[in-house]
Amino acid sequence: MTGQPDERPETELPRLPATGPLYRRAAIGLTPGLGAARRADRLPDVELVVRGVTVDRDHLAGYDRVCGFRLADVLPPTYPHVLAFPLALRLMTAPEFPFPLVGLVHVANRITTHRPIDAAESLDLSVRTLDLRPHPRGRQFDVLCTASVGAEVVWRGVSTYLRRERVAAERARRDRADDPTPPAPTAVWRVGAGTGRDYARVSGDHNPIHTSRLAARLFGFPRPIAHGMWSKARCLAALANRLPDAYVVDVDFTLPLPLPGTVAFTATPAWDFGLYDVRRGRPYLVGEVTPVPE
């Protein structure tokens, strides 16, 4: 993952966009003859900005409940991602964006928390895309989200998405005996069938592969799958009492987590963590927390 700042034109919006019309635009883009022609060789050269974003305490409380965080005046580390999501959606549904939104796979996420963010603070949010690059199964790119208080950057998130365009010449054969044995479970969690709908409600991420069995099947999943950012948030909620004030947390979303399901959560003193299939031991998510030097 990348995420280094660069100079590009800035477009300031008066408010965060509503996500409903953006998803309708994404659906139109999938309809033959209705979507705009796309240039698949470049990402939009623009940064979207909204200033003075405030936190709705009721929404924050709902998010905390869905993801397992305790109610507090400090924002969960994943919450700015939710605040900035409408901007990212606006960027990825624009006519000049090279790929249809539906079908993109969120494969990794990095969050840098520079300091605790009080829920009463007003945030300036910015989003841009960068680093379109080849991948064995297509192409991938990053979406960089930044939250600032005045001139101070307090949070940064980098989401890596994969656009699948081809199947590897020879699909890797997984031998379960070769899979590394996961660490002993710290906890076992039951993830309910409604988790996708609950998280969609508090995050604004209404991708139907998380909420609809029919849509999930259309994309090759027998059941709806959990949002990757819900999985990351749930793990960080379990680690909340042990996290420093400033840190980087990286995760790779390695396998889809079907809903409903039962998962093993593991965490080590070195701050490695993961979610695993309780029967086969295969990882759904693997992550690492690294303190930021003072």
Side-chain angles (χ1 to χ4, degrees):
M1 278 183 289
T2 182
Q4 296 303 315
D6 61 6
E7 296 296 330
R8 64 181 62 198
E10 183 180 286
T11 298
E12 184 171 341
L13 305 180
R15 65 187 66 86
L16 290 171
T19 59
L22 297 176
Y23 274 107
R24 288 192 288 274
R25 180 193 293 177
I28 291 173
L30 287 176
T31 304
L34 294 181
R38 300 175 184 270
R39 288 203 58 171
D41 60 343
R42 66 177 63 179
L43 296 167
D45 186 28
V46 67
E47 182 171 26
L48 300 183
V49 177
V50 174
R51 304 189 192 280
V53 176
T54 56
V55 173
D56 181 303
R57 295 299 185 113
D58 289 337
H59 180 268
L60 174 60
Y63 178 86
D64 286 341
R65 283 190 289 268
V66 169
C67 297
F69 291 103
R70 295 183 304 166
L71 300 181
D73 290 328
V74 173
L75 298 185
T78 47
Y79 192 72
H81 174 92
V82 168
L83 291 178
F85 180 73
L87 280 181
L89 193 61
R90 168 74 174 267
L91 198 57
M92 291 193 290
T93 55
E96 63 270 21
F97 194 74
F99 312 118
L101 176 70
V102 178
L104 293 177
V105 182
H106 193 183
V107 295
N109 178 266
R110 167 178 289 178
I111 285 174
T112 302
T113 298
H114 294 285
R115 66 161 174 82
I117 305 172
D118 193 280
E121 293 186 279
S122 176
L123 299 175
D124 296 338
L125 303 175
S126 67
V127 171
R128 57 189 172 89
T129 56
L130 65 162
D131 197 17
L132 180 62
R133 56 200 186 271
H135 182 276
R137 290 196 170 184
R139 281 173 291 176
Q140 61 184 18
F141 62 92
D142 297 324
V143 177
L144 171 63
C145 303
T146 301
S148 303
V149 176
E152 178 192 11
V153 174
V154 294
W155 182 96
R156 181 175 281 115
V158 182
S159 293
T160 301
Y161 290 90
L162 170 65
R163 164 67 175 177
R164 288 178 176 164
E165 296 173 333
R166 55 186 176 272
V167 178
E170 182 177 352
R171 193 179 297 270
R173 297 180 179 178
R174 295 185 58 89
D175 184 346
R176 294 177 188 172
D178 292 338
D179 286 338
T181 302
T186 304
V188 175
W189 299 333
R190 179 65 179 170
V191 185
T195 300
R197 294 187 296 273
D198 292 341
Y199 186 77
R201 186 183 69 253
V202 297
S203 69
D205 185 349
H206 292 278
N207 187 328
I209 65 172
H210 304 299
T211 59
S212 165
R213 182 179 290 268
L214 175 60
R217 286 178 175 173
L218 289 175
F219 285 91
F221 305 109
R223 307 197 300 274
I225 60 174
H227 295 74
M229 290 305 294
W230 175 85
S231 300
K232 181 172 184 174
R234 184 65 186 88
C235 291
L236 291 176
L239 297 173
N241 293 332
R242 290 175 272 175
L243 296 175
D245 285 345
Y247 56 92
V248 178
V249 54
D250 283 292
V251 299
D252 290 323
F253 304 116
T254 53
L255 288 174
L257 169 54
L259 299 174
T262 302
V263 298
F265 167 70
T266 69
T268 69
W271 291 5
D272 296 325
F273 63 92
L275 287 179
Y276 294 85
D277 183 312
V278 291
R279 291 182 299 172
R280 300 179 181 177
R282 297 184 300 175
Y284 297 119
L285 172 155
V286 291
E288 179 184 20
V289 177
T290 306
V292 173
E294 297 183 3

